[in-house]
Amino acid sequence: MNDKIQHLLDEIRKASALNADEVEQIRLKFLSKKGLISVLFDEFKTVPAEKKREVGLLLNDLKSKAQERIDELKARFDGVEEKAAAGLDLTRPVVNSQPGTRHPLSVVRNQIIDIFARIGFTVAEGPEIEDDWHNFGALNFAADHPARDMQDTFFISTNPEILLRTHTSSVQIRTMEESSPPLRMIFPGRVFRNEAISARAHCIFHQVEGLYIARNVSFADLKQTLLYFAKEMFGEQTQIRLRPSYFPFTEPSGEMDVSCLICGGKGCNICKYSGWVEILGCGMVNPAVLENCGIDPDEYTGFAFGMGIERITMLKYQIKDLRLFFENDVRFLKQFTGAL
Ligand code: PHE
C-alpha cells in the first residue's frame, strides 16, 4: 500500500498538461470517483487496524498534493481559451525580434550635442539647400575663391546662386542675422562636396559647427572650450594641439589635432606615426563676418569651430572605410546595439 501511494505521488508530481482538457484528464485519472486515489481509499478498508493511522495520513497527504498540483496546472490555462478566441495565443513561442540600433553617426552626433549642452551650448539647424550669400559671401569668401568652383560645390544648374551647402558655417550666418549676441550654439548637419567617393572621402558627410559670440570672448576661451570637448569625447588623458591655418571667415584660424587615442601619441598607422590626428577647423570670427550679419565688431567678439562627425566616429570606433556609413549593411550597423 505504501509503495502504491509513493508511486502515485511521483506520478502526480511529474504530471504536465498542454491545455485545459489535459488538466481535466489528469483530474479524472487521479481524483474522480473511479480515479486511482479513490481506488486506494477503497483498498484502505483492508489495511490492518494497527497500520491504519500511518497509511491514512499518507493517503490524505496524497489526495491533497494531487488537488494542489491539479489546481496549479489549471491556473496556467485560466482564461487562455477566451484569449485564444480573441485571437491571442499565449502558447505560441516568442518571436526573436531584432531591436533597431542607432546609426553610429547619430550616436556620435548625440554625444557631441550632449558634451556642448553641459557648457550651455544650444542646438539649431539650417537648410541644406543654400544661397551663395550664406554659404560663401557673408563668410568673406572672395568672388574668385576656389571653393566656389564647380569642382568643389554642387550648384543648382538652373540658378548658380543656389547650391548644396558645403559646410555648416552657413548656419552661423543665419543665426547671427536672426538673433543678437550673446550666442552660444552648435549646428549639426549634412553637407555636400563634389568629391570622388573613396575610403576617406564622400560627397555627403556631416559636420557640427560651434559659435560663441559675446563681449570679450578671447582665443583662450576657444582653446579651453576645445580642450574640454576633446577630453569629454576621447578621454581625460587626451591632449590638443592647435596649428595655424586659414579660413576666410575666421582670423586668426587654426586646425586642432588631438593626441592619437589609439597609440596615446607614440605613433601608429591611425595617426600615420605622428602621434596626432586632426579633428576640426576653428578660429576667432572675422570682424568682417560680424559686420555682414549686423553685429558690431567693436562691441562683440567670438569664436567658431567646425568638425566632421565621420572623422570623429572613425577615430572613436576605429572604422577604416567611410563608405560603411552609407551602405547600411546590417552586419555593420548591428555592432552599435545599445549605444545611445
Ligand atoms: N567650415 C570649415 C570647414 O568646413 C570649418 C570651420 C568652421 C573652420 C568654423 C573655422 C570655423 O572646413
Side-chain angles (χ1 to χ4, degrees):
M1 187 80 181
N2 283 8
D3 285 351
K4 283 185 187 161
I5 292 172
Q6 191 55 47
H7 180 76
L8 284 190
L9 210 51
D10 283 349
E11 217 177 302
I12 196 82
R13 235 184 246 135
K14 286 185 212 139
S16 68
L18 290 174
N19 53 46
D21 275 352
E22 287 187 23
V23 180
E24 180 60 7
Q25 291 308 316
I26 294 169
R27 192 190 67 79
L28 289 174
K29 180 174 166 190
F30 289 97
L31 288 176
S32 65
K33 285 217 174 80
K34 289 180 186 147
L36 294 172
I37 293 175
S38 307
V39 172
L40 285 189
F41 272 98
D42 287 343
E43 260 185 68
F44 181 68
K45 291 169 196 146
T46 66
V47 170
E50 70 275 15
K51 288 226 155 188
K52 271 210 155 63
R53 197 182 132 72
E54 181 201 338
V55 176
L57 280 173
L58 287 173
L59 208 49
N60 278 327
D61 180 57
L62 170 67
K63 193 176 174 184
S64 58
K65 290 248 165 70
Q67 190 61 55
E68 263 171 37
R69 178 73 182 148
I70 284 159
D71 289 347
E72 198 182 302
L73 289 173
K74 242 191 207 152
R76 285 190 199 170
F77 300 102
D78 246 9
V80 164
E81 269 153 33
E82 289 87 327
K83 285 180 179 121
L88 284 173
D89 178 3
L90 296 186
T91 63
R92 207 175 140 179
V94 176
V95 180
N96 186 11
S97 67
Q98 294 262 352
T101 62
R102 233 181 254 292
H103 194 283
L105 294 177
S106 302
V107 172
V108 171
R109 184 201 50 211
N110 290 348
Q111 282 173 356
I112 296 171
I113 291 174
D114 245 40
I115 291 170
F116 282 105
R118 293 204 283 274
I119 52 169
F121 282 74
T122 55
V123 180
E125 288 183 15
E128 293 175 356
I129 300 174
E130 260 303 357
D131 51 42
D132 184 277
W133 170 253
H134 290 96
N135 195 80
F136 294 127
L139 286 159
N140 205 32
F141 280 80
D144 58 355
H145 192 283
R148 287 185 137 137
D149 195 287
M150 302 260 283
Q151 298 287 311
D152 296 311
T153 304
F154 290 113
F155 290 92
I156 306 297
S157 58
T158 51
N159 182 352
E161 285 295 304
I162 308 291
L163 47 90
L164 296 180
R165 68 176 175 198
T166 61
H167 52 185
T168 42
S169 300
S170 54
V171 195
Q172 284 188 41
I173 302 301
R174 289 190 175 272
T175 306
M176 288 190 280
E177 280 176 345
E178 283 159 21
S179 34
S180 40
L183 300 170
R184 202 192 289 158
M185 301 174 86
I186 54 171
F187 316 117
R190 197 154 46 160
V191 301
F192 308 84
R193 283 184 205 173
N194 193 1
E195 303 247 18
I197 295 169
S198 73
R200 319 191 86 239
H202 206 286
C203 56
I204 302 175
F205 56 101
H206 299 78
Q207 290 187 327
V208 177
E209 191 89 7
L211 178 69
Y212 182 30
I213 309 279
R215 289 192 175 87
N216 299 319
V217 178
S218 70
F219 200 90
D221 297 321
L222 169 61
K223 208 173 155 184
Q224 189 59 40
T225 304
L226 294 178
L227 178 64
Y228 157 79
F229 167 72
K231 284 179 182 287
E232 292 290 307
M233 191 75 214
F234 299 113
E236 187 52 38
Q237 72 296 343
T238 309
Q239 292 177 295
I240 62 167
R241 172 172 93 169
L242 282 160
R243 285 176 290 102
S245 184
Y246 174 78
F247 300 100
F249 41 94
T250 47
E251 180 57 35
S253 303
E255 268 164 344
M256 187 178 94
D257 300 338
V258 289
S259 51
C260 179
L261 53 151
I262 308 303
C263 64
K266 289 192 199 76
C268 68
N269 61 343
I270 299 284
C271 60
K272 299 199 212 83
Y273 300 94
S274 72
W276 297 95
V277 279
E278 185 196 320
I279 63 156
L280 57 81
C282 61
M284 300 306 292
V285 178
N286 193 318
V289 174
L290 294 175
E291 253 169 48
N292 285 338
C293 301
I295 294 174
D296 181 358
D298 292 329
E299 192 177 351
Y300 293 104
T301 51
F303 64 69
F305 55 85
M307 60 186 87
I309 304 182
E310 276 80 357
R311 193 170 174 79
I312 292 173
T313 310
M314 288 171 92
L315 281 173
K316 242 191 120 98
Y317 295 110
Q318 293 183 48
I319 296 164
K320 299 223 165 63
D321 192 322
L322 192 102
R323 288 168 292 197
L324 285 164
F325 292 130
F326 302 96
E327 281 163 0
N328 287 333
D329 184 331
V330 285
R331 292 169 302 176
F332 171 70
L333 297 175
K334 251 190 354 206
Q335 299 177 53
F336 300 90
T337 317
L340 298 171

